[in-house]
Amino acid sequence: MRYKQWNVRGAVGLSGFFHFLYSCASGSVLPFLTLYLRYLGLTAAMTGAVMASKHLVALLWRPMSSILARHYNKRRVVIMASLIFSVPVALMLLLFPPTGVSTESGSCNVSQLRTNHTEFGSTTLDPRATPQKFITPLVFSTKNGSAEEVFTGSEHGPALTENASTYSSTQDVNDTIREMDRQEPLVTNETRTPPRERRSRSVGKQKEKQKVKQSHRSEFLGSLKVMDAQHQMFFLVMIIVCFWEVLAAPLEWTADDGLHEYLDFVDATERHRAVLPWRLLGAAAGVGNTGILVSFLYCLIGTVLHFYAYAALMVLTVPVATLLPLYRHKRERVPGVWWKALKLVQGDSRALLCAFTALLTGMAGSAVSDFFLWQMQDHNATELQMGITVGLVPLFQVILAPLNGTLTRLLKCHSRLLLLGITGLSLQCLYYSLLWTPWAAPPVQLLAGFSTGALLWSVEAQCMDIASPGTERALQRVFEALSMDLGAGLGSVAGGLVVERFGVMVLFQGTAAILAAWAVALGVLQWRIPRQRKINYSCLLAADASEMSESDSEQETDWLEKAMEEDKGNNNWRGQDM
């Protein structure tokens, strides 16, 4: 009989390589997604709404897809479908013409602005090489002549008004309008209509147009026709981003669950921790390398290189996904494990504080990550500076990971580690609000990596404190959903509204103030709540096993002593008889 070989080290290594490639692909485009939405011309509130819809889809669909994939034993199919079909949906965002802010403010010279004459009466500026911020375009159109003139102005006038190409563009606009006026059909006395009839006809046409508009407003597609170009782009981008998240959300949890059950079957679940550093390293490599490539190749390709890098890395991940170690236990999970996890959090005061902290830090982290690159772009940062700055955070998390045990022993309580993480995040936001140059941002990323790691370590310790057998992973997923999905969605909406009304600097300062206030309140609440000693079930089971072994040895010792005493008594009785 042949037994199946279980290569635990190879399984963990292959899974780590898979998560490295996938995190590298996600890191090449997701951190820059809000910057690309700004490039398309969406406002801060629109950008926040798009990102919030993305997080909401992940909150609802990710756990459901993970459960369905396990129930029908289709984990590999779900992973392969997610890798393959998410690429074309992401590339659909490249179909929209950019009319917003260019991501490279200094790499391409203003003299590279080109005037493209594609049709009669059409003049556009090349947005890929334009380093300035565009404002609302001016549209001139005639219905009878079927000619349309579009001219896009600049918010920073001196840089473009001195350019010859811009002057020629404006001159073409004026010449075209004059030609259109000259080419109007001559009206003779025979075809001329009385002014009263023309007024009545114009009033009738206006009433008909109003009726048509009202009928269109009653339908969704009709309302899109009535909307301006910016709102049309906003709704279409939101639909594409939500569909993209529907395809991409199941991948990480499904692969992670398959590996965990594989290791659980061979009693090696402690090796599952080795996958997390590869995710962080992949994210750092994706953000940093893509930022460097886009910075050097921007004048040739533009920001579309982010999406091409994402597509290439996702395609490279497909062969690795075919070899992933996935296993499904024949025994079912604990019934209602998610409900039990929520009950455990609800029944513990310190766990509730930790859950609210996870929600609040998720909001703050999402608001900061969504608009931090906007702040750097306003300081004329290049893609190279942005990529290096954002990529340092996961890199420092990996470097500082060995400090987890040391800090826990020094602080003697993981709740103090939670306070330390919130304080670090507050200082990080305050520093971002005072940013004066792009190269001033990388040093503070060490504090960002430490605060993020401290929050994760504290949440993990809290889960271990309140977990009952079979609910450990469910508790971790609950805190993850509160922070990365629900909190991130709320933070994106609130951050977009604040930036739209007050600016990025006010957003960072307000976030720093709220986090500092919550750190003080959390310290007071933790001091007031009595600390209860929780039972560690793993230690309890080990203690039970040791007690059973000791009792068995004691019983064996008692039996042996009794037998020796009886044998000794029999020998003495025989000696007396002789």
Side-chain angles (χ1 to χ4, degrees), residues 202-354:
S202 62
V203 172
K205 290 181 179 180
Q206 289 179 0
K207 291 183 179 179
E208 291 179 359
K209 290 181 179 179
Q210 290 178 357
K211 291 180 180 179
V212 173
K213 288 182 179 181
Q214 290 177 358
S215 62
H216 284 326
R217 286 172 184 170
S218 61
E219 300 177 359
F220 177 73
L221 295 177
S223 62
L224 285 178
K225 294 179 182 179
V226 176
M227 290 180 184
D228 58 296
Q230 188 182 38
H231 284 83
Q232 290 180 5
M233 182 181 293
F234 163 65
F235 281 106
L236 292 176
V237 167
M238 179 181 290
I239 293 172
I240 292 175
V241 169
C242 290
F243 189 41
W244 181 14
E245 187 64 22
V246 167
L247 294 174
L251 194 147
E252 188 173 349
W253 279 22
T254 303
D256 193 61
D257 289 342
L259 175 65
H260 188 271
E261 291 193 13
Y262 178 93
L263 297 176
D264 188 27
F265 184 77
V266 294
D267 295 331
T269 53
E270 68 278 357
R271 302 291 298 274
H272 190 266
R273 296 175 177 268
V275 178
L276 179 60
W278 291 106
R279 293 179 185 170
L280 298 175
L281 290 175
V287 175
N289 293 331
T290 309
I292 294 172
L293 287 176
V294 172
S295 182
F296 283 109
L297 302 177
Y298 182 82
C299 296
L300 298 176
I301 301 177
T303 55
V304 297
L305 185 58
H306 288 292
F307 294 89
Y308 292 155
Y310 171 78
L313 290 170
M314 292 290 278
V315 172
L316 289 177
T317 313
V318 172
V320 184
T322 58
L323 304 175
L324 270 181
L326 301 176
Y327 185 79
R328 178 181 179 273
H329 279 309
K330 294 182 179 179
R331 61 180 177 85
E332 294 294 330
R333 290 181 178 179
V334 179
V337 63
W338 291 93
W339 180 253
K340 289 184 178 180
L342 291 175
K343 283 290 187 181
L344 289 173
V345 174
Q346 183 183 1
D348 189 274
S349 300
R350 292 183 178 269
L352 283 175
L353 290 177
C354 187

Side-chain angles (χ1 to χ4, degrees), residues 350-534:
R350 292 183 178 269
L352 283 175
L353 290 177
C354 187
F356 184 78
T357 303
L359 179 67
L360 186 62
T361 54
M363 294 176 62
S366 177
V368 170
S369 61
D370 286 348
F371 298 100
F372 173 60
L373 295 185
W374 287 35
Q375 174 83 334
M376 293 193 67
Q377 188 182 59
D378 293 339
H379 289 83
N380 299 323
T382 62
E383 292 267 354
L384 184 144
Q385 294 168 327
M386 296 178 187
I388 292 176
T389 302
V390 178
L392 287 176
V393 177
L395 184 62
F396 282 137
Q397 282 185 250
V398 177
I399 296 174
L400 298 176
L403 297 178
N404 181 14
T406 304
L407 286 175
T408 304
R409 287 192 298 269
L410 288 176
L411 298 176
K412 298 180 181 180
C413 182
H414 61 79
S415 58
R416 297 175 183 174
L417 189 61
L418 186 64
L419 286 174
L420 197 61
I422 299 173
T423 306
L425 186 58
S426 176
L427 294 176
Q428 172 193 345
C429 295
L430 181 62
Y431 186 90
Y432 284 166
S433 66
L434 303 176
L435 195 67
W436 64 95
T437 180
W439 286 116
V444 79
Q445 298 304 87
L446 176 62
L447 179 61
F450 171 75
S451 59
T452 304
L455 291 171
L456 293 176
W457 303 334
S458 179
V459 169
E460 183 179 358
Q462 183 65 54
C463 292
M464 296 301 295
D465 279 352
I466 65 174
S468 60
T471 60
E472 296 85 355
R473 285 178 59 81
L475 277 171
Q476 293 178 1
R477 294 283 174 82
V478 167
F479 282 99
E480 182 179 352
L482 284 174
S483 177
M484 304 301 294
D485 295 329
L486 180 59
L490 296 176
S492 295
V493 173
L497 294 176
V498 172
V499 173
E500 181 85 11
R501 187 173 181 84
F502 303 104
V504 181
M505 187 179 298
V506 176
L507 171 65
F508 291 154
Q509 292 175 353
T511 303
I514 292 173
L515 289 174
W518 174 244
V520 176
L522 182 62
V524 174
L525 291 174
Q526 288 179 347
W527 176 65
R528 297 286 296 176
I529 295 175
R531 184 171 181 81
Q532 299 178 357
R533 186 177 179 84
K534 296 294 181 180

